[in-house]
Amino acid sequence: MRASLAALAAAALLALPFWLPSPYHLHVVIMAGIFTVLALSLNLLLGYTGQLSLGHAGFFGIGAYTAALLALKAGWPFWLDLPAAAVAAGLAGWGIGRLALKVRGAYFVLVTISFAGVISLVSVNWMELTNGPLGLPNVPAPELFTLSFRTKAAYYYLVLAATALAWLVCHRLVHSRLGRAFLALRENEALAESVGVDPTLTLVLATVVSAALAGVAGALYAHYVRFVSPEVFLFSYTVTMVIMVVAGGKGTLAGPVVGAVLFTVLPEALREAIAWQWQMLAYGVLLVLLVFFLPRGIWPALSGWRR
Amino acid sequence: MDALLQHLVNGLVLGGTYALLGIGLTLIFGLMNLVNFAHGEFYTLGAYTTFAALTLGGSNFFLAVAAAIVVGAAAGALCERLLLAPLRDESIDTTMLVMIGLWIALQNAELLGWGGVAKSIPHPFPTAPLTLGPIGIAPLRLFVVLTAAALIVLSWLLIQRTRLGRAMRATFQDRETAALMGVRIGRIHTATFAFGSALAAAAGALLGPIFLAYPSMGDLASLKAFSVVILGGLGNLAGATAGGILLGIAEELGAGYVSSGYRDAVGFVIIILVLLFRPAGLFARAERIG
Amino acid sequence: MHKRWLTTLLLAFTLGALLAPAGFAQSPVKIGVIQPLSGAVAASGNYVRMGAEIARDWINAKGGINGRKVELVIEDNKSDPKEAASAAEKLIVRDKVPAIMGAWGSSMTLAAMPKLEEYGVPMVVETSSAGNITKSGNPWIFRISPPSEMEALGLEKYVDKLGVKHADFLAVNTDWGRGAAGAFGTMLRKKGVEVDAPEFMDQAATDMNAQITKIKASGGDTLFVTTAVEQITLILKQGQEQRLTRKIITTGGSSSPSQLIKQAGAAAEGTYHIVFFMPWFPEAMPDGKLAKAFVDEWTKRGHPFEGLTEGFRGHDGIATIVEALKLAGKDDPKAVRDALWKVSFTGVNGPIKFDKDGPAGKESGQSKPSIFVVQIKDGKVALPDFMARK
C-alpha cells in the first residue's frame, strides 16, 4: 500500500510540469524546491544536533555569490560552479563550526547571527569582488552541451533532482553512526561525550554538511533568478528557513519538506487571497496560530494522527 | 583630538540606550530562555505610544514618555500571559517561533495603523547644542542619557533590593529550588517579560524624538540588543550596561576611523571575538542576574 | 475564530469586487504595479501607488481606453528582489497584464527583468536609478526616471553658480547611493572640483554622527547627500548638532523638502535639493495645468503633501502605459512594447519620449526627464536665485 502511494507521488512529481495549470505555479514549485534544500540543511543543525543556527542565510548567500561570480567572471559552467558553491559554503561552515562550537545555546545563536551580519556587510562593501549593492545581473542559465535549462520545465527537473539528492544525503547521514551521534549530542551532551562521541568534531561535521547543502541551494537560486545581490543575506531568509523547519517539524526528515512547501506557497496564496495591505499581517497571525495549535510542528502532528 | 572626544561623547549617548535595550533582553533571554525576536517591537511600541500621547492625547513630553513605559509593561505582560505562558513547556525553538510571528504581526499592524511615513516626535528641548569646548551635545541627547542612567539604576535597585528582584534571581539561578521555596514561577515570568519590555519601550520613547518613529525601527534595535546581551553575559545587568556603552563607543570609533560602511560590522566582530575568548561575556564573574 | 474572520473578509472582498460599478461594457484593461508596500521603504512605494491610482481614476473618468476601464493590479515586492520576481511572474501569468510599472528599487527591478524577457512583457521603470537597468540589453524595459549619470548632468550647469569647489559625499549604502556618489563625483571632477572619498551609511542606520565628524574635518564647502527623506532628516539634525556649516545638496529626488522642513526645522534652512517635481509651484513645471491639477487631486484625497515629490512617478508611469495602450489599440504585450517607442506626450514631470539606450539590437528605452533644483529658504521651498523661472 505504502509503496504504491510512494510510486504515485513520484509519478506526480515527475509529470508535474504537465499537469500544473500555469508557469506561475511551476515558478512557485521551483522556489519551494530551493527552499526545501535550505530547510533540510538547517534541519541537520537545528533538528538533529539541536544547535540553533541563525546565520544560515550566510551559507546560502555564499553559495549564490560563488556560483554567480564563477559563472560571470570566470566563465565556469553550472555543473562546476554548483559543487564549487557547495565547497565554498562548506568551508565557511567549517570555519564557523570551529569558532562557534566552543560555545553552546544562546551564545552559538549569536555567533551565527554575527557571522551572517559580517558576511552581509562584506558583500555590500567589497565592491571590487561582489559589485556591492548593484548586484550581479545576467547570471547565465545552466547548459548541458546543447541543452539549455533556461525553460522552467527543465529547471524544475534540475531542482527536483537536487532536492531528491539533498534528501538522500540527509537520510543517509541521519541513519548513520554520525547521525546517531548527532541525536546523542542533542539529547545529552555530557552523556554522549562519556560514550566516546567527540562533540566538537561531530558538530563541526554537521555544520559543514549543513552549510554545503545551503550553498547548493544558493547556486540553484543564482541560476534561476539570475540576479544576485546582497539581499540574499537578508535576515528574513534565515527567519523563513527557521519557520519552515520548526513549523514543519524539526528533527524529522519530512517536516522541513512540508514546511518549505507550505511556507513558499502560503505567501503566494496570500497574494491571491488578500489585498496587499493585509498580507504580511495575516502571515504573522497565521504563524502564531500555527505554533499555538501545533507546537511540535506539522509533520509530527500529521504522523501522530495516522497512528 | 577634538574629533575623538566628539566620537566618544556620541558613543556614550548611543551606548546608554543600547544598555537599556540590552538590560531588558538579558533578563528575558537569561531568565526565560526565550529568543525574543519581538523585543524590538516593544521598542517601536514605546516610540509610537509617545507620539500618540503627544499628538493625539495632547499630554506633555515627560508624561508621554512615562505613558510609553507603562504601555510597554502592560503589553509585555499581556503577551506573556496569552502567548508564552501556554507554551512554557515547549522547546526554545517553539517559543522563538511564536516571537517571530508576533514580530511580523506587530510590525505590519503598525504599518497598517500608522502608515509607512516616519513620524517626527515633538519635544520641548531647544535644538541649539550645548557646547563644552570642542564638543557639542544636544540638550535632548543629554536628557536621554540621564534618563537612561536613572532607569538603569532603578532596574538595578529592583533586582537587588526588592523581593521581586530576589525571586527573579532565584528563579534564574535554580528554577526547581526556587519553586520549592515558594516562588511563583509563572508570576516571575510575567513580571520579567513585562519589565524587559517596559525597558525596551523606554528606549524607544527616548530615542524616538532623536531619530524618528517608523514601523521597522525595531529591527536594528533587536539586533543591537542581542549583541549587548552577549557582550555582557546572559542575565548580567552590570554587564549589559557596560556592554551597551562599549558597543556604542566601538561603533562610533569604528565608523569614524575605520570605515563608515562597515560600522555595524564592528559590533559583530566584537561579539565573535568575545565569544571566542570569553564566552561568558566580558564582564561575567558568574552568570547570574545582578 | 480567525478562520471565520478570514472567510468573512474574503467574502466581503469578493462581493465588493462583484458589485463594483459596471459602467463599462467590456472587460477592463489590467496594468500591473510592483512596489515596496511593506518593509523599510513602504512610505515611498505607497506614494507611487497613490499617484498611480490618480492616473487610473482620471483616465477612467475620461472614458478609459477605447471604452474599456483601466484596472491596476497592485503587488507588494516587500523590498526583496526574490519577491519582485515572483510578483512579476504572477502578474504576467495569472493576471495576464500587457504591461507593468515597477519596481521602485534598482535591485527589485533587476530581479524582475529576466521575467520580462522570458514572457515578453514590457515594464515602465518609474524610480530606479541604476545605470545598468537600461544598458543590459533588455528590450522590454522603458525608464522614465533618470539614471544617476543623467541626474548629475542635469546639475552640471549649476555647479559654478552654486560655487562648489570642494565636495564631499554622504550616501546610503545601496546601488542608488553608490551610483549617485560615483556619477556626481565624475561630473564634478570633470569641472575641476576637488572631490573627497565618499562616506556611506547603512540603509537602516539612524546615527550618522561618525561620518559627519569625519566630513566636518575635510575642509570641503559642499556636502552631497543621497538617501531617503528619513535619513536626510537625521543627517541635517545631527549636522546641526555638530555645527556643520556648509552647503548641502541632496540628490535622487526622494528628499521631500516639505517633510524636511517639518521634521528637521531650522536644520534644513538653506539646503538645496534636486527634485523631479515641484509641487510648491506647479505652474513652473513644463505642463503647469496638469501639474497643478495633480497637486489639487492629491490634496483632495487627503494624501500627505510630502508624498507628492514621489507620487507623481506613479502617475507618469501609468500615463505612459496608457498612452502606449491607446496607440497599440489592443492589450497585447508585444504591441504595447512597440507602441512605447512611439509614445510622446507630457506627463507631470515633463515630456516623455524614449530614446534608445544600451547594446545595439536589444536597446531599452530611456526618457529624458526634467530635473529641477529647489532651496529651502525661510522655512519654505523656493527656487534658488540662480534658476530663472519659465
Side-chain angles (χ1 to χ4, degrees), chain A residues 37-46 53 55-64 66 82-98 108 112 115 169-170 173 182 203-219 241:
Chain A
V37 176
L38 267 178
L40 282 170
S41 80
L42 182 62
N43 187 36
L44 275 181
L45 273 182
L46 178 49
S53 160
H56 237 64
F59 301 127
F60 174 67
I62 288 179
T66 307
L82 181 105
V87 167
L91 272 169
W94 182 83
I96 286 302
R98 298 249 53 210
F108 180 76
T112 56
F115 156 69
V169 167
C170 289
L173 194 61
F182 290 166
L203 287 173
V204 170
L205 273 171
T207 313
V208 169
V209 176
S210 174
L213 277 177
V216 167
M241 278 187 251

Side-chain angles (χ1 to χ4, degrees), chain A residues 22-35 64 67-68 78 81 138-142 149-156 158-159 216-228, chain C residues 82 85-86 89-90 93 110-115 118-119:
Chain A
S22 77
Y24 169 65
H25 291 96
L26 198 52
H27 160 79
V28 177
V29 171
I30 291 174
M31 293 304 290
I34 295 176
F35 271 94
F78 169 78
D81 69 45
N138 297 323
V139 179
F149 281 81
R150 212 186 174 114
T151 65
K152 276 216 181 40
Y155 211 85
Y156 163 72
L158 195 63
V159 170
V216 167
L220 286 171
Y221 172 87
H223 284 281
Y224 177 60
V225 177
R226 298 182 24 230
F227 172 71
V228 179
Chain C
K82 149 172 92 62
S86 287
E89 181 112 28
K90 183 231 173 215
V93 176
L110 284 166
M113 277 165 58
K115 301 284 179 190
E118 182 182 343
Y119 292 104

Side-chain angles (χ1 to χ4, degrees), chain C residues 122-201:
Chain C
M123 183 160 89
V124 170
V125 176
E126 86 300 330
T127 306
S128 307
S129 64
N132 60 350
I133 288 177
T134 41
K135 296 213 195 292
S136 43
N138 187 324
W140 301 91
I141 283 285
F142 293 82
R143 174 159 54 179
I144 58 173
S145 52
S148 303
E149 294 77 18
M150 208 181 262
E151 208 193 317
L153 284 174
L155 187 70
E156 196 178 9
K157 49 185 178 292
Y158 303 124
V159 169
D160 296 323
K161 294 200 191 144
L162 281 163
V164 181
K165 298 268 185 317
H166 181 170
D168 287 291
F169 285 93
L170 183 53
V172 64
N173 201 357
T174 62
D175 46 82
W176 173 39
R178 286 199 175 253
F184 278 86
T186 309
M187 182 272 290
L188 288 169
R189 280 198 190 92
K190 275 215 200 104
K191 297 209 64 136
V193 173
E194 186 187 339
V195 179
D196 296 326
E199 293 291 326
F200 296 103
M201 62 246 163

